[in-house]
Amino acid sequence: MIEAILKYKGKNGFGEFCPKAVLFDMDGVLYNSMPNHAVAWEESMKKFGIAMTKADAYATEGARGIDTIRHFVKKQKGIDISFEEAQKMYDEKTRIFHSMPEAPIFDGVLDIMEKIHQAGMSVNVVTGSGQRPLIARLLNDFGKYLDENHITTAYDVKRGKPNPDPYLAGLQKAGNLKPWEGIVVENAPLGVRAGVAAKIFTVAINSGPLPDEALSSLGADVLYHQMTEFVEDWDILFESSTL
């Protein structure tokens, strides 16, 4: 872990690493929801004549839903659709998703949030989603650690992941912090790219079917397969950041 922090400082030219906030992605990090999202994407897009596989859903995870839709429509039909047209398609995807069983919280999530809280740091969420029911669930499940002012959604930025904008916006909501004052926790390639592009220490949790290289090759500073592993290493990370 010390080596990872030193490497992070070196590649970004930062002389320090003093985290004050942890910025979590939502799907695939806090909730085991990606299998449901993959089904919802495949079924909803089929209704509009767009072929989108479950693998496509994982590959584009973390991007704003409307951006994903406009990309696939452009690629397959050769046309540019409006924000409003994409929103209607995204609404159908949302309807199907919310008709499915509620995704469980990953083991270790509440434990890591408690450790963050005890360390005097803030818990934040940066998601490509903008669905109000999901935001409401975040506040219900994690209200001890999280409030709405520390949630960044698709509607807070013009450019979604893999651009750095969502995580830079998350740093602002966390208290106008600098990159070396944050930690990103991601599970998706686009999200890892966004965290790295924002020059924030990026922890990858490979909770899905992707090979580790799909995340580590994009610049993730540390990689785990389960949140519980991050919990076990938290004290080492926190102590190392004070060196």
Side-chain angles (χ1 to χ4, degrees):
M1 183 62 71
I2 294 176
E3 290 80 2
I5 292 173
L6 291 175
K7 184 177 180 181
Y8 162 78
K9 292 180 181 180
K11 72 180 180 182
N12 290 293
F14 297 149
E16 58 182 335
F17 173 57
C18 49
K20 298 177 180 178
V22 179
L23 300 93
F24 293 95
D25 178 39
M26 181 173 64
D27 295 303
V29 172
L30 302 180
Y31 300 112
N32 189 13
S33 49
M34 276 310 298
N36 288 358
H37 278 292
V39 170
W41 272 118
E42 186 174 35
E43 292 185 1
S44 62
M45 291 304 101
K46 188 184 301 182
K47 294 184 177 184
F48 297 97
I50 299 298
M52 186 171 180
T53 66
K54 294 180 179 65
D56 290 330
Y58 279 96
T60 58
E61 180 192 353
R64 299 195 310 170
I66 55 173
D67 291 338
T68 296
I69 290 169
R70 296 177 80 178
H71 167 77
F72 274 87
V73 171
K74 177 69 172 181
K75 182 178 180 180
Q76 296 183 24
K77 295 189 174 183
I79 58 175
D80 293 307
I81 61 173
S82 67
F83 178 95
E84 290 74 18
E85 290 172 305
Q87 183 65 57
K88 290 180 181 178
M89 296 170 70
Y90 186 56
D91 288 344
E92 176 60 13
K93 183 263 177 181
T94 299
R95 185 193 68 77
I96 293 174
F97 176 79
H98 286 293
S99 72
M100 304 174 74
E102 190 171 72
I105 299 171
F106 275 115
D107 290 342
V109 168
L110 290 171
D111 294 330
I112 196 67
M113 287 188 178
E114 178 63 22
K115 284 182 174 291
I116 294 165
H117 179 68
Q118 291 296 325
M121 299 164 61
S122 67
V123 171
N124 305 260
V125 173
V126 177
T127 174
S129 174
Q131 301 174 36
R132 290 304 308 175
L134 294 180
I135 305 308
R137 187 184 177 195
L138 284 171
L139 298 173
N140 181 68
D141 290 342
F142 309 119
K144 178 180 177 181
Y145 311 105
L146 179 69
D147 62 60
E148 191 158 4
N149 292 329
H150 288 78
I151 300 175
T152 302
T153 75
Y155 301 116
D156 288 315
V157 294
K158 292 183 178 179
R159 300 192 308 168
K161 303 171 186 177
N163 296 292
D165 307 35
Y167 281 113
L168 293 176
L171 286 176
Q172 288 185 325
K173 287 195 174 190
N176 198 26
L177 302 182
K178 302 299 183 183
W180 59 86
E181 295 177 310
I183 297 172
V184 163
V185 186
E186 266 286 354
N187 73 303
L190 296 183
V192 169
R193 286 173 58 190
V196 171
K199 297 186 177 182
I200 305 171
F201 188 87
T202 301
V203 175
I205 309 288
N206 192 8
S207 60
L210 299 174
D212 289 349
E213 292 74 17
L215 302 175
S216 59
S217 65
L218 297 176
D221 296 286
V222 181
L223 185 143
Y224 301 106
H225 296 102
Q226 300 177 32
M227 186 67 75
T228 51
E229 297 172 359
F230 186 29
V231 174
E232 292 172 0
D233 270 8
W234 173 261
D235 290 340
I236 299 175
L237 172 65
F238 185 68
E239 291 169 5
S240 298
S241 71
T242 62
L243 295 178

